[in-house]
Amino acid sequence: MFTHYDLHTHSRQSDGTLTPTALVERAAAAGVEVLALTDHDTLSGIGEARSAARAAGIRLIPGVEISVTWNRQTIHVVALNVDPEAPALRAGLERLQEFRVWRAEEIGRQLAKAGIEGATEGARRHAQGVLISRTHFAHYLVEIGRAKDLRAVFRKFLVRNKPGHVSGQWAGLEEAVGWIRAAGGQAVIAHPARYRLTGSKLRRLIAEFRDCGGEGLEVVSGSHSQQDMHNMASLARQCGLLASRGSDYHGPENAWIELGRLPALPADLTPVWQAWPQHAA
Ligand code: AMP
Ligand code: MN
Ligand code: MN
Ligand code: MN
């Protein structure tokens, strides 16, 4: 029997635009049967998503997408099936949230130097009192007419060598995987084809990730092309990693990613869910 899994999504508890309830309802309506909520660096949407999933009759996997600095680059590690109360994970995420608050002020100062005033305030307004991210700055820059859409913002601002760039000081790789394992979860490298790493660097990342207990690679992702998926499937085979599948959905405004539309995982790969207890969560 084919079950529809989507193991990477965002709500407005981080940089998505739907509430956890609206996300769960939309996923259920699109045919998703097992949904992971994986907001950036926060578990604050899990409680609401759980209730909504119960009402909608689908299974909710508690997750989080952790920001990691590896080799001076930002890498995302998706945590699946974590205990949201686990102390080390909670403390680690709090530290990343504090860095986000400081970084938001710093991004505002950098943009002011480039003649853009009020960005931190504007971004805070878009963040609606929860976790603040570059996406909220991007919404503000679109709002004031500095770029036509989010993609255009991330070409002209907020990235290396452009106004508003601030380097990440996120979790270490070993540290993040440690929090996830201590919380009983599985660690998965998110959208591996998106980092612009050379093949050898990506292999080094995977080797280090495995050494500290990482288990999975997101082979099917809303941000992967067909070619990316084939490449990442070979990598998962060669490195003996479990395969994950997630849309990285952020809301209906991003028209190029919709819930319920992902291709299946290649049949010979072992999916991350193979190891899960069937009736947990
Ligand atoms: P942050 O974690 O605050 O640094 O923000 C990173 C987020 O920005 C990612 O999770 C994406 O949602 C968003 N983002 C990054 N690059 C792009 C892009 N080219 N187009 C749209 N959104 C992007
Ligand atoms: Mn995001
Ligand atoms: Mn990501
Ligand atoms: Mn994501």
Side-chain angles (χ1 to χ4, degrees):
M1 196 185 64
F2 175 79
T3 304
H4 192 128
Y5 289 83
D6 187 339
L7 302 180
H8 184 161
T9 63
H10 297 273
S11 76
R12 81 175 190 211
Q13 295 304 115
S14 66
D15 62 346
T17 55
L18 299 180
T19 62
T21 301
L23 172 76
V24 167
E25 287 171 354
R26 193 177 175 104
V32 175
E33 295 162 284
V34 181
L35 175 75
L37 175 63
T38 57
D39 274 313
H40 298 285
D41 305 324
T42 183
L43 293 156
S44 65
I46 300 298
E48 182 185 326
R50 262 200 180 130
S51 315
R54 210 170 297 129
I58 67 171
R59 180 168 168 195
L60 192 276
I61 302 299
V64 54
E65 181 175 13
I66 302 180
S67 308
V68 164
T69 302
W70 178 79
N71 206 17
R72 273 172 277 123
Q73 289 220 19
T74 299
I75 300 293
H76 287 170
V77 174
V78 162
L80 296 174
N81 260 318
V82 287
D83 169 7
E85 304 304 328
L89 177 62
R90 293 190 74 88
L93 296 179
E94 260 163 45
R95 190 182 96 209
L96 301 184
Q97 288 159 19
E98 279 163 22
F99 173 68
R100 283 182 173 279
V101 171
W102 175 84
R103 184 187 66 159
E105 301 286 349
E106 186 60 20
I107 292 175
R109 285 189 282 270
Q110 296 299 326
L111 287 173
K113 281 190 205 160
I116 299 169
E117 298 294 336
T120 305
E121 265 323 295
R124 273 205 202 103
R125 182 160 41 74
H126 284 281
Q128 301 179 83
V130 272
L131 176 136
I132 191 155
S133 88
R134 282 186 296 161
T135 306
H136 302 116
F137 281 89
H139 284 300
Y140 174 71
L141 291 168
V142 171
E143 179 185 280
I144 63 170
R146 290 297 186 127
K148 72 171 195 321
D149 57 23
L150 296 193
R151 288 208 238 203
V153 173
F154 284 98
R155 281 195 296 270
K156 298 197 280 185
F157 302 96
L158 311 177
V159 294
R160 198 165 285 169
N161 300 322
K162 303 286 174 179
H165 176 253
V166 179
S167 309
Q169 292 160 37
W170 305 112
L173 183 65
E174 189 173 357
E175 197 178 26
V177 175
W179 300 338
I180 296 168
R181 290 175 61 85
Q186 253 175 343
V188 176
I189 298 177
H191 42 64
R194 229 174 64 191
Y195 304 120
R196 298 207 208 106
L197 292 172
T198 59
S200 61
K201 275 264 174 67
L202 194 52
R203 277 165 214 279
R204 224 184 85 203
L205 168 66
I206 291 173
E208 288 183 27
F209 177 70
R210 290 201 47 163
D211 283 346
C212 50
E215 294 174 67
L217 192 67
E218 208 169 65
V219 170
V220 169
S221 161
S223 58
H224 280 173
S225 66
Q226 182 103 334
Q227 186 60 52
D228 292 337
M229 178 182 87
H230 287 302
N231 295 343
M232 295 309 122
S234 329
L235 210 51
R237 275 180 207 109
Q238 288 164 24
C239 304
L241 287 171
L242 303 176
S244 191
R245 173 179 195 262
S247 61
D248 206 1
Y249 184 76
H250 281 73
E253 298 76 12
N254 295 24
W256 60 95
I257 296 181
E258 189 44 271
L259 293 162
R261 302 250 179 93
L262 287 174
L265 281 176
D268 66 302
L269 295 179
T270 308
V272 285
W273 54 82
Q274 177 129 319
W276 299 355
Q278 276 316 294
H279 300 287

